[in-house]
Amino acid sequence: MKKISFLLIALMISTVACKKEKKETKQVEEALTTTEKYVVKPEATSIKWTAYKTTDKVGVGGEFTSSKFEIKSGDSPQEALNNLNFSIPISSLFTNDATNTRDAKIKASFFGAMLDTDFLKGTISYVDNKCNASLTMNGVTHNIPLDIQIEEERRVTLTGVMNLKDWNALDALASLNKVCFDLHKGADGVSKTWEDVAIEVSTFLRKN
């Protein structure tokens, strides 16, 4: 009788321990499967740029109001941004010009003087805390080093400077300066459009 009692007690202890082990294993699996992901949110992404005119280097700001990013997630901001492909339609260029002529001039005389003028395309890489954008424009692909700032792990700002000669775009720049010759004159009477353009990309990495 005592042997049976001991067997029953041992069986009960074994059953309880097994259930506890299964419960703990399930909790660990659930924790792993519910790990937060980071995903680029296109509707919360802005792409702004600043070009420069006159010898005093006066900034002229603009943006692209539309962009497309591939749907890509990662366990960290770095993983979500690395190898992220994007495309930007030139038609979405906007400078908030009161005369409504600047946008048309840039589209026709600058981008219109290039090859493949419908889209800017590229890939963002983020490896070892170094960020770059491989941008294709005018049939040329070239890297732009980017400074990256991440706030509260989800708001990301990328800034950099592109030199138009790296995309063989100086003829297109001269074409734009020609149609904007008087508007790009400074106090010294010299008309100038600079080769460098500052860019700023701001996005939000939503939770998956």
Side-chain angles (χ1 to χ4, degrees), residues 12-118:
M12 290 173 63
I13 292 173
S14 176
T15 302
V16 171
C18 185
K19 287 182 177 179
K20 183 179 179 181
E21 184 179 346
K22 287 182 178 179
K23 182 178 181 182
E24 289 177 348
T25 302
K26 184 178 180 181
Q27 287 175 340
V28 171
E29 290 176 349
E30 288 178 348
L32 290 173
T33 57
T34 57
T35 300
E36 288 186 354
K37 296 287 187 178
Y38 297 81
V39 184
V40 173
K41 193 175 183 180
E43 61 269 29
T45 301
S46 67
I47 301 174
K48 298 180 180 180
W49 51 267
T50 303
Y52 303 95
K53 65 179 183 178
T54 78
T55 52
D56 291 328
K57 206 170 187 179
V58 176
V60 178
E63 63 181 313
F64 291 101
T65 59
S66 177
S67 61
K68 182 179 180 181
F69 290 85
E70 70 171 329
I71 299 175
K72 184 175 179 293
S73 65
D75 293 332
S76 66
Q78 178 169 326
E79 189 174 298
L81 292 169
N82 189 39
N83 293 324
L84 178 67
N85 297 317
F86 65 87
S87 64
I88 306 167
I90 300 301
S91 59
S92 70
L93 182 143
F94 177 69
T95 63
N96 197 29
D97 175 36
T99 66
N100 294 319
T101 60
R102 182 191 293 148
D103 294 9
K105 288 179 180 178
I106 296 174
K107 291 175 185 178
S109 298
F110 180 66
F111 287 108
M114 297 185 192
L115 301 172
D116 305 323
T117 58
D118 292 333

Side-chain angles (χ1 to χ4, degrees), residues 128-171:
D128 296 331
N129 293 321
K130 292 182 179 180
C131 197
N132 291 276
S134 176
L135 179 69
T136 300
M137 181 177 75
N138 195 31
V140 177
T141 300
H142 193 82
N143 280 342
I144 308 171
L146 297 172
D147 293 325
I148 183 167
Q149 181 179 359
I150 302 176
E151 299 177 8
E152 299 178 354
E153 295 190 332
R154 296 197 177 275
R155 172 58 63 183
V156 179
T157 303
L158 305 168
T159 55
V161 176
M162 59 187 299
N163 193 307
L164 297 177
K165 69 180 180 181
D166 293 329
W167 286 268
N168 295 336
L170 295 187
D171 287 344

